[in-house]
Amino acid sequence: MEVLSSRVLIHPRDLDAATAFYRDTLGLAIDKEFPGGTVFFAGGGSIEVVGRAEAGPTPDIVLWLQVRDLPATLAELAGRGVTPVRGAQREPWGLDEAWIADPDGTRIVLVEVPSGHPLRTDPR
């Protein structure tokens, strides 16, 4: 199988609130807009906010977004009214993580890969 692109689809309870959250609160750039949905750039992938939820969020699905500077990202988001669900901490596997949630409660893990960690490929 050859994968040409990929994206995560999020079906929110309130499409307008979710779209505003990903666009304005998280500040993600828009890749595409179409009737009933918006696709946002998210690093090497995309997040599509589309349609309407039937069951609501599940703890089994989590968005994982790597950021360059976790404390700066949390400060920026705090300025936009986001309170972390769980504050930043170093995980046993060596990554710095904090958790936030979208308007439906979908967990979003913000991750910084510390210098010296084997996953770190960008020296900045």
Side-chain angles (χ1 to χ4, degrees), residues 5-6 10 22 26 30-31 35 51 54-56 70-71 74 79 82 86 90 98 101 107-108 110-111 116 118 121 123:
S5 69
S6 65
I10 295 175
Y22 287 93
L26 294 188
I30 294 173
D31 179 24
E54 292 181 23
L70 185 56
L74 290 172
V82 176
R86 194 195 76 180
R90 175 81 36 102
R107 185 169 18 137
I108 301 169
L110 302 175
V111 179
T121 59

Side-chain angles (χ1 to χ4, degrees), residues 57-104:
T58 170
D60 297 331
I61 304 294
V62 177
L63 291 178
W64 192 92
L65 302 177
Q66 183 179 344
V67 298
R68 188 173 307 282
D69 185 330
L70 185 56
T73 299
L74 290 172
E76 177 184 347
L77 292 175
R80 297 179 188 157
V82 176
T83 302
V85 173
R86 194 195 76 180
Q89 63 184 51
R90 175 81 36 102
E91 298 295 343
W93 43 90
L95 300 176
D96 296 335
E97 297 184 3
W99 300 353
I100 63 171
D102 75 4
D104 283 321

Side-chain angles (χ1 to χ4, degrees), residues 18-43:
T19 300
F21 175 81
Y22 287 93
R23 180 191 61 225
D24 304 330
T25 304
L26 294 188
L28 300 182
I30 294 173
D31 179 24
K32 298 172 185 61
E33 291 181 290
F34 52 89
T38 304
V39 180
F40 297 94
F41 288 109

